[in-house]
């Protein structure tokens, strides 16, 4: 004996206007450009090998998702980079001296570049760890006695 089945509708119900299924882009954003501005924007999209719509969407979302600059985060990222550089320069110099060699300028530049790449991520991790341990006053109970 088979279980009766309800036939699927030929046209599934449409979601309400304010509800969009994940991954489905159903809204449009429009703007007006001068012919010159349009040529500039189309050229920029073309340089990136993207359609105008794709290029505009990516740029708009990237800009919308950027966090505003946090002064503390910027300062902490520079302190983190400086710490990383100092420790690595001391270590590399000691290692080179132990082998009777000198630290090459290229090695110093490589350490600097590595510090720059990782500084913001490191600062965010330090801030997250700090806040997870109780925040600015260092207590676990949010500053209450």
């Amino acid at each position: 004996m088979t279980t009766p089945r309800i036939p699927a509708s030929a046209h599934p119900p449409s979601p309400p206007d304010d509800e969009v299924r994940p991954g489905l882009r159903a809204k449009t954003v429009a703007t007006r450009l001068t012919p010159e501005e349009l040529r500039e924007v189309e050229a920029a999209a073309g340089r990136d090998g993207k359609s105008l719509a794709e290029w505009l969407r990516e740029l708009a979302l990237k800009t919308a998702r950027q966090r505003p600059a946090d002064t503390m985060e910027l300062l902490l990222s520079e302190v983190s980079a400086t710490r990383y550089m100092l420790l690595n320069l001391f270590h590399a110099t000691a290692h080179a001296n132990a082998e009777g060699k000198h630290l090459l300028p290229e090695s110093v530049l490589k350490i600097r570049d590595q510090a720059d790449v990782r500084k913001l991520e490191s600062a965010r991790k330090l801030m997250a760890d700090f806040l997870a341990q109780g925040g600015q006053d260092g207590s676990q109970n949010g500053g209450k006695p």
Side-chain angles (χ1 to χ4, degrees):
M1 181 182 207
T2 61
T3 307
R5 295 180 186 252
I6 300 172
S9 169
H11 300 287
S14 299
D17 285 343
D18 60 342
E19 179 185 318
V20 177
R21 286 177 267 146
L24 177 66
R25 292 190 171 100
K27 300 294 180 180
T28 301
V29 176
T31 189
R32 293 184 183 271
L33 300 171
T34 65
E36 176 58 31
E37 290 170 335
L38 179 59
R39 283 191 293 277
E40 289 179 56
V41 171
E42 287 174 332
R47 283 192 301 270
D48 286 351
K50 297 180 180 173
S51 70
L52 182 58
E54 180 184 16
W55 187 83
L56 287 169
R57 180 176 38 256
E58 287 180 7
L59 181 61
L61 289 171
K62 178 183 174 187
T63 302
R65 291 171 178 164
Q66 284 180 342
R67 296 181 349 172
D70 177 352
T71 306
M72 185 60 67
E73 186 177 78
L74 293 173
L75 289 171
L76 188 56
S77 70
E78 289 302 320
V79 169
S80 177
T82 302
R83 178 177 184 262
Y84 179 88
M85 287 177 53
L86 283 172
L87 292 173
N88 280 283
L89 287 170
F90 287 148
H91 176 78
T93 301
H95 188 45
N97 288 341
E99 294 179 355
K101 299 177 181 177
H102 296 288
L103 187 62
L104 298 174
E106 294 82 21
S107 298
V108 174
L109 295 177
K110 184 177 178 183
I111 291 170
R112 181 210 53 203
D113 293 344
Q114 289 170 340
D116 283 344
V117 166
R118 66 184 304 280
K119 69 184 178 182
L120 192 55
E121 180 182 337
S122 177
R124 288 179 178 160
K125 182 180 181 327
L126 287 169
M127 286 294 287
D129 291 348
F130 173 74
L131 294 173
Q133 293 174 3
Q136 294 181 349
D137 64 355
S139 67
Q140 292 291 328
N141 58 5
K144 297 177 185 169

